[in-house]
Amino acid sequence: MSGSTDAPNTPSLQLQAFLRWADAMTVKQDPVALAASVTEDFQYQSLPKSTGLPARDKASFVEYASSLMAMMSDFKSDIHEVIETDDTITVHASGQATSITGALYANEYIIIVHVAKQADGEYKLSSMKEFVDSKGMTEFMAAETKRQQERAAQAAA
């Protein structure tokens, strides 16, 4: 993950699990690594619920994340704060990227993650609640969809 962070220089095994997820999602943009960072029974919810986004299991989350990855490049993120207990990590972060149409994407997140220790001693994410700047996300997605439709119409003409 690029950018600044207040994460410790020697993060706990639990925080390492989150950082693997974040790296797969933003830096590598790798759906296989993303899927490997979560448990088989992983549950994801984008919040607030007013965004209208559904809860997702592992398969639907990886599919959803893959579609977001395909829309973005040059993703940079900053971790502003990490709060950790034995099985829960809360992260305040922000991110910026460039969309496939060249538009700037910027958002702010509060991410609450539960982790589960695996048989090999490694931790994986078992659930995630991701609070986003819903106004910024809604406006960006509407504008990006319009830009993509305009490009497709121009290409077809």
Side-chain angles (χ1 to χ4, degrees):
M1 234 168 113
S2 65
S4 62
T5 178
D6 82 335
N9 289 334
T10 54
S12 67
L13 294 175
Q14 294 89 327
L15 183 55
Q16 287 177 37
F18 172 77
L19 295 173
R20 277 192 303 278
W21 174 87
D23 186 61
M25 183 76 184
T26 62
V27 177
K28 293 178 181 170
Q29 295 188 306
D30 180 351
V32 174
L34 187 68
S37 71
V38 302
T39 60
E40 291 304 316
D41 61 348
F42 177 73
Q43 294 294 308
Y44 171 85
Q45 179 67 60
S46 185
L47 298 169
K49 288 187 178 182
S50 63
T51 61
L53 295 172
R56 300 178 190 277
D57 62 11
K58 179 180 181 172
S60 63
F61 173 74
V62 171
E63 180 180 336
Y64 169 69
S66 296
S67 70
L68 293 177
M69 290 176 199
M71 289 179 60
M72 306 287 181
S73 64
D74 302 320
F75 200 102
K76 295 178 179 42
S77 58
D78 294 302
I79 294 177
H80 306 293
E81 184 174 1
V82 175
I83 301 169
E84 208 177 329
T85 66
D86 288 342
D87 68 350
T88 306
I89 299 160
T90 302
V91 177
H92 173 209
S94 57
Q96 306 81 39
T98 304
S99 76
I100 58 173
T101 64
L104 176 66
Y105 167 80
N107 211 314
E108 187 172 12
Y109 315 90
I110 295 291
I111 304 169
I112 303 168
V113 176
H114 293 271
V115 294
K117 191 172 188 177
Q118 306 301 292
D120 63 2
E122 183 177 83
Y123 284 83
K124 290 187 177 189
L125 281 57
S126 59
S127 70
M128 175 181 288
K129 293 177 185 174
E130 183 176 31
F131 287 83
V132 299
D133 174 354
S134 52
K135 181 176 185 257
M137 175 67 92
T138 302
E139 290 174 355
F140 171 81
M141 292 303 284
E144 182 65 13
T145 299
K146 184 178 178 183
R147 287 187 294 269
Q148 289 180 21
Q149 289 170 344
E150 288 170 353
R151 281 187 169 190
Q154 289 173 352

